Amino acid sequence: MSIVRAVCKCMERIAPLRFAEKWDNVGLLLESPHIRPRANRILLTIDLTPEVAEEALNTPTFCIIAYHPPLFKPLSSLTLNNPLQSTLLRCAAAGISVYSPHSALDSVTNGINDWLAEGCSIYVQDGNKKIYASQTSIVGETFENGLGGQGRMVTYAAPVSVKKVESMVKFWLKLDQIQVAYPAGLNPEEKNITSVALGAGSAGSLVASSNANVWVTGEMSHHEVLAAVASGHVVILCGHTNTERGYLRRLARKLREEIAADGENEVDPAVAQTLEGLEVVISEKDKHPLEFV
C-alpha cells in the first residue's frame, strides 16, 4: 500500500465516504504517479487555492487534504490555461496527491456539524468560559448506528437570548462580525430562544427543514433569508468557509491519532517508520476569500 493510500484509509475511518451527499465528489481526487522524495507532510486546507498550492510545493508536502473538492464537475480537458487545472497539474507533477472529504466530514459524528453545535453552548463571560445545558439532535437524514446525520439542532434546557447565541457563535468561530436577520417584533435581548439549527457552508434548505428558532450557517440566498424572517426565524450567517475552517485543528489531531494507530499496527517496519515520520500541518495560506473593508 502506498503512503497516500494509507492516509486515505485513515481519512475513511474519520469520515466514511458513504456518508457524503449524492451530489458530492469526495475521496482521492488526484493521485500523483510518484511520491516526492523526502516528503513527509500532509497539508490540511479548506480550499486548494493557488496560494495553498504554492505553500505545498514549497514545503515537503506529499498529500493535500482539501475539504472542498477542487474537482467537482467532469472535465473535458486539463490545461495550464485554467488556474485550477494548472494547480492540479503542478501538484501531480511534483508528487502531491489531493483528497477531499467534504460533506462526509460535515455529517459524521464528531465532524464539522457536531463541532458547530458544540460552539452554540459555550460562551465567555468576564473572562471565564461557561457552558449552557443543552442537547444536540440530528436535522435531516440520520445515519446508522449513531454515526451522524446531515445537520444538527441544539435545544437549550432554559431559554437564551438571540444576543447570547450571537456571542457564542462569534466566540467559537473567532469572528468579529456576523450577519443577522431578525423577524419583526423580536427583541434580541429577550430570553426567548430554545433551539438553534446548524449546518456548515451553505445549508439554508437543511436548517429550514427544522423547527428551530434560530438558523446558523455560512451563507443563504436572499430569498431564503426573506422567507426565514417572514416565518419568524432568526438567521445568522457567518461566511461560508468560516463555519468550516476552525474544525481543521480538530481534524489534524484526529488524523495524527489515526496515523499513529496504523504505525503501531503495521507489520512492515519500513511502512511503520514512514507513518511514524509523517507530519499533519494546517495551511497558513488558506483563508476566507471575502473581507470587510
Side-chain angles (χ1 to χ4, degrees):
M1 179 185 296
S2 72
I3 191 62
V4 170
R5 294 282 176 168
V7 172
C8 293
K9 188 175 71 171
C10 292
M11 283 300 302
E12 172 67 18
R13 290 198 296 271
I14 294 171
L17 297 180
R18 69 182 184 278
F19 294 155
E21 298 287 344
K22 294 179 176 60
W23 47 260
D24 210 352
N25 189 36
V26 294
L28 184 59
L29 303 185
L30 177 70
E31 185 172 17
S32 175
H34 66 95
I35 297 293
R36 298 178 79 183
R38 296 175 296 279
N40 68 335
R41 178 171 293 186
I42 302 166
L43 187 67
L44 306 187
T45 183
I46 294 298
D47 292 304
L48 179 52
T49 61
E51 292 78 12
V52 172
E54 285 296 330
E55 180 183 9
L57 290 164
N58 291 326
T59 56
T61 297
F62 72 92
C63 183
I64 298 172
I65 307 294
Y67 166 75
H68 286 139
L71 286 170
F72 201 77
K73 297 180 180 179
L75 299 176
S76 57
S77 64
L78 275 170
T79 73
L80 298 177
N81 291 329
N82 180 289
L84 171 59
Q85 295 173 15
S86 175
T87 293
L88 294 172
L89 287 169
R90 292 180 67 203
C91 285
I96 301 174
S97 299
V98 180
Y99 181 99
S100 176
H102 202 203
S103 57
L105 191 60
D106 290 345
S107 303
V108 71
T109 297
N110 297 321
I112 292 181
N113 285 335
D114 273 332
W115 170 79
L116 277 177
E118 183 180 340
C120 277
S121 294
I122 298 175
Y123 67 103
V124 169
Q125 187 173 26
D126 299 327
N128 297 315
K129 183 184 290 187
K130 299 187 178 183
I131 301 176
Y132 276 116
S134 62
Q135 182 177 6
T136 301
S137 56
I138 302 294
V139 174
E141 180 185 357
T142 301
F143 302 148
E144 75 274 9
N145 302 320
L147 292 177
Q150 290 177 307
R152 299 294 185 273
M153 184 165 72
V154 175
T155 303
Y156 299 109
V160 301
S161 69
V162 172
K163 284 298 181 184
K164 184 59 68 176
V165 175
E166 293 168 11
S167 67
M168 289 189 286
V169 170
K170 291 166 74 173
F171 166 74
W172 193 247
L173 300 184
K174 295 180 170 53
L175 298 174
D176 295 324
Q177 294 175 302
I178 54 177
Q179 292 181 298
V180 185
Y182 304 113
L186 181 134
N187 179 358
E189 301 285 356
E190 185 179 345
K191 294 182 178 180
N192 53 12
I193 301 302
T194 59
S195 56
V196 177
L198 310 105
S202 181
S205 60
L206 179 60
V207 295
S209 67
S210 75
N211 60 355
N213 307 133
V214 179
W215 299 347
V216 178
T217 187
E219 60 181 347
M220 290 171 61
S221 74
H222 174 71
H223 294 289
E224 284 179 322
V225 173
L226 291 181
V229 172
S231 61
H233 296 89
V234 177
V235 172
I236 297 178
L237 303 181
C238 310
H240 189 113
T241 65
N242 289 333
T243 59
E244 303 156 343
R245 185 165 288 103
Y247 183 79
L248 291 180
R249 293 186 296 274
R250 191 164 294 186
L251 176 60
R253 174 178 55 79
K254 292 166 76 71
L255 185 53
R256 292 186 191 109
E257 291 171 353
E258 292 293 342
I259 290 171
D262 272 8
E264 292 177 0
N265 296 326
E266 179 57 57
V267 295
D268 186 330
V271 176
Q273 185 176 8
T274 301
L275 287 167
E276 185 178 347
L278 295 185
E279 296 180 351
V280 181
V281 178
I282 298 172
S283 170
E284 296 179 358
K285 298 298 184 181
D286 178 52
K287 64 178 183 178
H288 189 64
L290 298 173
E291 298 181 16
F292 288 97
V293 296

